[in-house]
Amino acid sequence: MPQGSSFGSLLFVLYTSDLPATRETTLGTFADDTVIFATHEGPTIAPLNLLGHLHIIEKWLKEWKIKFNESKSSHIMFTLRKGHWPAVDNNQTIIPQTEAVKYVGLHFDCRLNWKEHIDRKRKQLDLKTKEISWLMGKKSHPSIENKLLIYQAVIKPIWSYGIELWGCANKSNIVIMQRSKIPRAIANALWYVTNHTLHTDFNIPYISDVIYERINKHHNKLEAHPNPLLQSLLQL
C-alpha cells in the first residue's frame, strides 16, 4: 500500500497483530509506532529484559520480512540514579540511548519532570502565536468573540494535549506553560488591566484549573471502565 493511504494503517495493524510479547516487558503500539517498556528495581536488569524481548522480535521480523530501522529508534532509562547503563541492540546494531524521547506527541525526559515537553510546547505556542498575530493582534479585525474561538481551536489544543500526564509537573514548569500575551492582545488591554481580570472576563481558565478538571475526569473514566487493564492504571 502507498504511504499515507486510508487503508495503510489498518492493514499494518492487522499484519503486526501477532507481534511477540513477554511477561517481563510491556508492549505498546500506535499505528507504526511501537514502544517496549521494561521496569525493575535493579537498573541493570531492566535493559536485559528489554534486550531479551528485542531478540524475540528480531526473529519475528525476519520471519515476516519487516525491516527494523535502528537509526529511528531510541533507548531511554527513566531513573533518578546517575551512571552508565547497559546498551541495547537489535540485529547487532546498538540503539542510541537518549535523554528524552517523543511518543504520540509527548516528550518524555529521563527524569520524568516534563521540562523537555513543556519547553518544546512553549516554543510551539510562541511560534503559533506569531503566525496568527494578524488574526489575534491589536490591529486585527475579527471580533473578540471570533478571536476567542480562534484561541480555543488553535492555541488551547497545543498546551492541553496530554495534560492528564504532564499536569503533574512542578509549579515552576506549569508557570512556563501559562505565560501568554494572547488574552491581552484579544482585548487590546491597557497596561493597568490585570491578567486575572482578562481571564475572568473572557472565561479563559488557568492551566492549573484545566489540569485539575481533566485529571479528575480521566480518573473517573478509568474507574468506570470495564477493561480491568485500564483500571489498574489508577494504582500507578
Side-chain angles (χ1 to χ4, degrees):
M1 296 294 293
Q3 185 174 2
S5 63
S6 57
F7 286 104
S9 298
L10 175 60
L11 291 177
F12 180 84
V13 170
L14 294 175
Y15 193 75
T16 59
S17 61
D18 61 341
L19 188 65
T22 69
R23 293 183 178 180
E24 293 78 18
T25 57
T26 301
L27 182 67
T29 58
F30 183 82
D32 62 343
D33 289 329
T34 303
V35 60
I36 305 173
F37 181 69
T39 178
H40 200 277
E41 294 180 358
T44 58
I45 302 299
L48 292 177
N49 291 337
L50 181 62
L51 185 60
H53 194 170
L54 284 173
H55 287 170
I56 295 174
I57 290 180
E58 183 179 334
K59 298 178 182 178
W60 179 86
L61 292 171
K62 290 180 179 179
E63 180 181 357
W64 292 108
K65 296 179 173 53
I66 299 176
K67 173 63 178 174
F68 182 89
N69 194 338
E70 293 86 358
S71 62
K72 290 186 178 181
S73 303
S74 300
H75 169 216
I76 185 171
M77 286 284 293
F78 298 108
T79 179
L80 297 178
R81 301 180 183 180
K82 295 181 179 179
H84 298 282
W85 316 114
V88 173
D89 70 274
N90 183 77
N91 199 22
Q92 299 182 348
T93 301
I94 299 296
I95 298 177
Q97 189 164 349
T98 59
E99 296 293 320
V101 293
K102 181 182 179 181
Y103 184 65
V104 292
L106 293 171
H107 300 269
F108 298 86
D109 56 87
C110 60
R111 295 183 179 273
L112 288 181
N113 56 22
W114 297 103
K115 189 177 186 306
E116 176 80 12
H117 178 79
I118 290 175
D119 287 344
R120 287 178 176 268
K121 286 299 177 180
R122 180 68 264 171
K123 293 178 181 178
Q124 185 180 354
L125 284 169
D126 293 340
L127 179 61
K128 183 59 67 175
T129 301
K130 185 177 180 180
E131 289 178 352
I132 64 173
S133 60
W134 63 282
L135 284 173
M136 306 284 285
K138 298 177 181 179
K139 298 181 180 180
S140 59
H141 299 294
S143 64
I144 290 179
E145 290 77 11
N146 287 334
K147 289 181 180 180
L148 289 172
L149 287 175
I150 294 172
Y151 170 80
Q152 293 288 342
V154 179
I155 300 299
K156 186 177 179 180
I158 295 177
W159 61 259
S160 62
Y161 176 75
I163 200 171
E164 295 86 352
L165 295 177
W166 69 258
C168 65
N170 59 43
K171 292 183 178 180
S172 61
N173 285 331
I174 299 296
V175 170
I176 293 175
M177 190 75 89
Q178 178 66 60
R179 291 199 305 259
S180 176
K181 298 180 181 179
I182 290 181
R184 190 166 295 277
I186 290 175
N188 194 12
L190 298 175
W191 63 270
Y192 54 80
V193 180
T194 64
N195 289 332
H196 178 73
T197 299
L198 295 172
H199 278 268
T200 302
D201 290 348
F202 293 153
N203 195 26
I204 299 178
Y206 287 98
I207 289 181
S208 57
D209 296 330
V210 177
I211 290 173
Y212 181 79
E213 176 188 353
R214 294 275 289 270
I215 287 180
N216 282 340
K217 186 177 180 180
H218 181 64
H219 278 216
N220 291 336
K221 282 186 175 181
L222 290 179
E223 288 178 348
H225 204 281
N227 189 338
L229 295 177
L230 294 181
Q231 292 177 358
S232 64
L233 294 176
L234 294 172
Q235 303 173 4
L236 298 179

